[in-house]
Amino acid sequence: MNKKKIFNDPVYGFVTIPTELLFDLIEHSYFQRLRRIQQLGLTMFVYPGALHTRFHHALGAMHLMTLALRTLKDKGVKISAKEGEAAMAAILLHDIGHGPLSHALERSIFHDVHHEQVSLHLMHKLNAQFGGALTLAIEVFQGTYHRPFFHQLVSSQLDMDRLDYLNRDSFYTGVQEGRPGADRLIKMLTVVDERLVLEEKAVYSIENFLVSRRLMYWQVYLHKTVTSAEQMVIRIMQRARDLVRAGVDVPASPNLHFFLSRNVTQQEFEADDQILRRFTRLDDTDVWGAVKLWADHPDKVLNYLAQSMLDRHLFKIQLQAEPFEEEFKLGIVELIAEHFQLAPADAAQLMLVGRISNNAYDADGQDTIDVLTKRGRVVNVAEASDLPNIKALGQRVEKHYICFPKEILQ
């Protein structure tokens, strides 16, 4: 069978699957599940075109990795066929541990288990199935391989993951200002002392990339309406979970019901293959199927939240720089209780509070974006003399939000 297939990507055009191992990984059920998990979760409620999946993104990131490796080889960096394949496998599988609706439900389904840990566990399982063929890829993914630039290509402040999701998400949302100039950035990559750097002439491209990232976070990923929708679906899962654990009948697919009924820890997840099997059968359809059922549930809070999601009747959201005062929150709960004829404890379930924050670049962290100057020095891009914007982009912006039903103000 010919495994060097070509697929047509809407963002990059024709893309080749470079090796048989990568083809077999793509064919595996763990990876195919990503077709059923949307990359941007509930962003479609604001940007109707944002319907692409984690499957699209993983293939796109793999393609950018092939371009980056080719660029580095052309500049004299020694990269063996095994190392190249390992880097491509690591980026291909970096999101394999995502649950339904991507980030939105990460903490509602598991107890203190993050998708990166799940991805690593699934990679170990695949490594066993593929006779150790992923050992090097796992080292690259974890950052334990002795040539750290491979890990930087997979996970850093300027990696193939970020370049693809900014490219892809700006394409599907139509937010053209979010395009990061990936082609030029990749062409400017090089390696010094086994660490990834960019040539000095890339500094303006780096600035463009960071501005694009900041814009995409506030205009797309942390858009206030998207935040409202995501918090609503999180509260739906929390309410369903509380009801299930209180002995109330809450219909759901067997696998979703399993996770609603108990706290699964990382240790349990890694120790029990049945839990792993249940997880790898979960996707967005489980969540939306459940929400459709719950719109007719006798519990008034679950019923209202589920029906509101189906009808895109989203909560009003207010943002401000400071936390909301307790008196204000109590007033909102009283209005909800009065309008919906609910007990105060149930009314509080229809008020959502929290905070969102972002900084486009962490200039003081260990994982900086470094530039090779024409004099041969490697410096943090934030130190480049004529780029004050990059220092400004490193400042964290934080906003507090409160969400509640619009009806209470009418």
Side-chain angles (χ1 to χ4, degrees):
M1 178 182 176
N2 172 27
K3 295 185 177 181
K4 290 201 173 179
K5 300 291 185 183
I6 293 174
F7 60 91
N8 194 349
D9 183 273
V11 179
Y12 306 119
F14 289 109
V15 171
T16 303
I17 299 172
T19 72
E20 291 195 5
L21 173 63
L22 294 168
F23 176 87
D24 290 337
L25 289 172
I26 292 167
E27 289 282 279
H28 196 280
S29 61
Y30 290 173
F31 192 83
Q32 289 294 316
R33 182 181 71 96
L34 299 181
R35 290 182 184 272
R36 304 186 298 277
I37 295 178
Q38 285 191 359
Q39 171 78 4
L40 291 182
L42 299 167
T43 307
M44 61 181 178
F45 280 168
V46 177
Y47 296 99
L51 297 170
H52 54 301
T53 66
R54 291 273 158 193
F55 185 86
H56 293 125
H57 164 56
L59 292 177
M62 180 194 74
H63 170 65
L64 293 186
M65 181 65 83
T66 64
L67 300 183
L69 294 173
R70 193 177 306 151
T71 293
L72 295 177
K73 283 182 183 177
D74 289 346
K75 293 181 180 180
V77 180
K78 296 281 189 261
I79 298 173
S80 70
K82 279 193 172 182
E83 287 174 323
E85 184 177 64
M88 287 185 281
I91 196 72
L92 185 72
L93 301 176
H94 77 283
D95 271 350
I96 201 168
H98 264 294
L101 296 185
S102 296
H103 292 283
L105 296 182
E106 190 166 351
R107 290 178 188 164
S108 302
I109 290 179
F110 282 148
H111 176 66
D112 200 26
V113 180
H114 302 289
H115 74 269
E116 294 93 345
Q117 296 169 299
V118 180
S119 292
L120 181 59
H121 182 59
L122 288 172
M123 287 172 75
H124 281 297
K125 288 292 182 183
L126 287 168
N127 195 32
Q129 292 179 30
F130 283 86
L134 293 176
T135 300
L136 187 54
I138 291 170
E139 289 181 25
V140 167
F141 181 78
Q142 290 185 285
T144 57
Y145 188 54
H146 70 275
R147 305 184 74 188
F149 77 86
F150 284 112
H151 176 71
Q152 288 178 283
L153 287 168
V154 175
S155 179
S156 65
Q157 290 203 73
L158 205 166
D159 55 29
M160 299 308 106
D161 173 29
R162 292 186 186 197
L163 286 180
D164 181 76
Y165 76 62
L166 290 173
N167 241 348
R168 191 167 301 279
D169 298 346
S170 61
F171 177 88
Y172 279 96
T173 57
V175 181
Q176 293 301 320
E177 306 92 327
R179 295 191 76 103
D183 290 349
R184 177 167 170 79
L185 284 166
I186 289 172
K187 291 290 185 191
M188 297 295 108
L189 291 173
T190 188
V191 170
V192 175
D193 296 331
E194 299 296 341
R195 293 198 63 82
L196 196 67
V197 299
L198 290 103
E199 296 171 15
E200 187 176 17
K201 57 189 174 183
V203 286
Y204 295 112
S205 297
I206 297 169
E207 182 180 17
N208 175 62
F209 161 74
L210 294 175
V211 169
S212 298
R213 187 166 186 267
R214 183 184 181 90
L215 185 145
M216 286 295 287
Y217 265 86
W218 290 117
Q219 198 165 324
V220 178
Y221 310 131
L222 298 177
H223 187 289
K224 67 176 189 175
T225 307
V226 174
T227 299
S228 174
E230 287 184 349
Q231 294 308 311
M232 285 176 71
V233 83
I234 288 169
R235 182 52 54 87
I236 288 172
M237 286 295 149
Q238 290 171 342
R239 184 68 173 183
R241 185 182 63 195
D242 292 344
L243 291 171
V244 167
R245 294 179 190 182
V248 178
D249 181 31
V250 180
S253 69
N255 295 318
L256 180 57
H257 199 279
F258 174 85
F259 288 107
L260 291 174
S261 66
R262 69 202 73 197
N263 276 336
V264 176
T265 64
Q266 181 74 28
Q267 192 174 8
E268 290 172 317
F269 183 85
E270 293 180 4
D272 189 341
D273 282 349
Q274 285 305 308
I275 293 177
L276 176 70
R277 179 176 171 80
R278 286 182 180 279
F279 174 78
T280 55
R281 297 245 170 142
L282 271 184
D283 54 51
D284 290 4
T285 55
D286 292 86
V287 172
W288 285 114
V291 170
K292 287 169 71 176
L293 291 172
W294 298 342
D296 295 317
H297 197 275
D299 180 78
K300 287 177 73 174
V301 172
L302 185 62
N303 172 310
Y304 175 77
L305 284 166
Q307 190 62 54
S308 296
M309 286 301 296
L310 292 177
D311 295 343
R312 199 193 174 277
H313 182 64
L314 303 179
F315 282 8
K316 179 177 178 60
I317 180 169
Q318 292 182 11
L319 298 170
Q320 64 182 40
E322 302 298 325
F324 289 88
E325 293 181 0
E326 287 302 317
E327 197 173 321
F328 178 74
K329 292 191 284 187
L330 285 171
I332 294 291
V333 172
E334 285 178 14
L335 288 171
I336 294 171
E338 183 182 341
H339 186 278
F340 292 98
Q341 300 295 297
L342 291 171
D346 287 338
Q349 295 288 304
L350 297 182
M351 181 188 71
L352 314 169
V353 292
R355 62 184 179 179
I356 50 178
S357 64
N358 178 250
N359 62 331
Y361 179 56
D362 182 4
D364 301 319
Q366 292 182 324
D367 162 40
T368 55
I369 299 174
D370 294 333
V371 171
L372 176 66
T373 68
K374 289 173 183 173
R375 295 184 178 182
R377 288 180 60 235
V378 174
V379 299
N380 185 334
V381 69
E383 296 173 23
S385 58
D386 62 341
L387 290 176
N389 271 357
I390 289 181
K391 290 179 181 175
L393 288 166
Q395 295 175 356
R396 180 167 292 275
V397 177
E398 187 172 87
K399 300 178 183 179
H400 294 263
Y401 65 79
I402 186 167
C403 310
F404 51 84
K406 294 174 182 174
E407 300 97 300
I408 67 169
L409 299 180
Q410 293 170 358

